Each structure stands twice: as C-alpha cells, then as structure tokens.
Amino acid sequence: MIRLSDLTVVFQPKPDLRIDSFIGALQAMIRTQTGETGETGWRVTPLTGEVSFTEWRDHIDLVTRVRLRLTRPGPGTTESGLVASIAESGSDLATVELRAAEGLKASAPLVNELARLAEEGYGEFAAKGIAGEAFGAVREWNSNLRGETIITDVEVEAESGEASWKTLDAQLADVRSAPSAGAA
C-alpha cells in the first residue's frame, strides 16, 4: 500500500518475498517507468535514513541474528579466522549466519568483520534485533539499504494468511510522514 502524498510504502513480507527483494523490485519498476537509472534514478530508502551497522547496533536492545552473503572477496580483504578461510577456499559465494534467541554479542570481532566486508562491497549483511519491548517490533538492518526496516506483527486472515487492506492502511497511518525531498 502506498501513501501518495509522500510515497511511503507498507507491505506484507512473506517467506518467498524478502524485504530487500521487494525494495529492489519496486525501485527497478519505478526506474523502468521513468527511464532514470544510476545515481540520478529513483532510490527507495528507509524512513529512518541511512545509518551504519555500528550506529544501528548501539540503539538495539537485543540482536538475534546476523547474516553475511559473501561474494568472492579480493586478496587482503580479510584479517584472519573464519572469513579468511572462506576466502581462501576459492568459493564464489558463501553465507555465514549467526542466531541466538537470547541475543548475540553483536560487538564480537567476527560480527564486526562480517559487517565491514559488506560495507566494503564484498557482500550483503543483514541483522535482526529488538529495540524496546513496548514496541513489539523486529528491527532489521540491511547493508544494501544502509538503514533500518521495522517489522510489525499484524493480524492476518486465517484462510489466506494475508493482512487485510484495512490492516495495512492502519499501519500506514501509524507511519510518520517521510521527509520531503530537499528537506534537511
């Protein structure tokens, strides 16, 4: 669902529809229709703005998952340890995923190395966490977006497993207006 006044979008992620996949597809559709590409083309960004993983992590109470989809790094891109071993194997693609329901040590050297590799362009890094129990929402940081996505549980219809238009509309009403282009 799209609020036309500021082009804010809410949608229902599904197992076969990841958030970053949806955002990439939406961005591609808009760019195809407008003919704008590259740096001058339309860009879909989180309402929270761009933030580094370290800044995001510092505002999260509990990080429960991190995942790096590592594309083949160049020589000298890793210091040592697990990621260096993956690079030495010659693989074209590897995924490293850490999960802990009670929370990961998100400042651990391995986690920092995974985030750094993604920030240097050697893959995609994603993290999930919870900030403030009062909100009850999962926070997700993604290196492709360089920002946070907020995932809120909503009621779905029993038969279809889908959120109703009314539910999505209520979620959209709860989302603050996005800053207008050119606003500071």
Side-chain angles (χ1 to χ4, degrees), residues 26 30 61 68 71-72 84 95 108 111 120 140 144-145 169:
L26 177 61
I30 294 169
D61 296 327
L68 174 70
T71 53
R72 189 177 211 160
T95 301
V111 174
E120 292 175 2
E140 184 172 304
N144 290 345
L145 299 175
D169 190 44

Side-chain angles (χ1 to χ4, degrees), residues 44 52 67 105 111 143:
V44 178
S52 72
R67 175 183 42 82
K105 184 176 179 187
V111 174
S143 62

Side-chain angles (χ1 to χ4, degrees), residues 6-175:
D6 60 3
L7 300 179
T8 298
V9 176
V10 297
F11 68 99
Q12 179 180 1
K14 298 180 179 184
D16 60 343
L17 178 64
R18 292 186 1 228
I19 292 169
D20 54 331
S21 298
F22 172 83
I23 290 171
L26 177 61
Q27 190 167 274
M29 286 188 316
I30 294 169
R31 287 180 173 186
T32 298
Q33 291 301 310
T34 62
E36 297 175 357
T37 60
E39 293 297 317
T40 60
W42 279 78
R43 187 162 171 250
V44 178
T45 59
L47 289 176
T48 56
E50 290 189 5
V51 62
S52 72
F53 170 71
T54 303
E55 292 169 311
W56 176 83
R57 178 190 67 205
D58 290 345
H59 292 93
I60 296 296
D61 296 327
L62 187 68
V63 176
T64 57
R65 176 182 176 205
V66 295
R67 175 183 42 82
L68 174 70
R69 185 175 181 265
L70 181 68
T71 53
R72 189 177 211 160
T77 58
T78 60
E79 288 106 29
S80 62
L82 177 64
V83 177
S85 296
I86 292 169
E88 289 172 5
S89 75
S91 66
D92 292 324
L93 179 68
T95 301
V96 177
E97 184 169 345
L98 308 171
R99 293 181 184 204
E102 299 297 318
L104 294 166
K105 184 176 179 187
S107 60
L110 176 60
V111 174
N112 288 330
E113 184 176 2
L114 298 177
R116 181 185 57 77
L117 286 168
E119 288 176 349
E120 292 175 2
Y122 294 107
E124 176 190 347
F125 182 77
K128 286 188 178 183
I130 300 168
E133 291 185 34
F135 296 106
V138 172
R139 312 291 212 220
E140 184 172 304
W141 186 88
N142 185 290
S143 62
N144 290 345
L145 299 175
R146 291 202 45 83
E148 175 183 66
T149 302
I150 301 172
I151 304 166
T152 307
D153 285 331
V154 297
E155 186 177 328
V156 296
E157 296 173 0
E159 285 183 27
S160 67
E162 302 281 329
S164 69
W165 286 107
K166 183 178 179 181
T167 300
L168 291 176
D169 190 44
Q171 285 296 305
L172 192 56
D174 286 345
V175 175

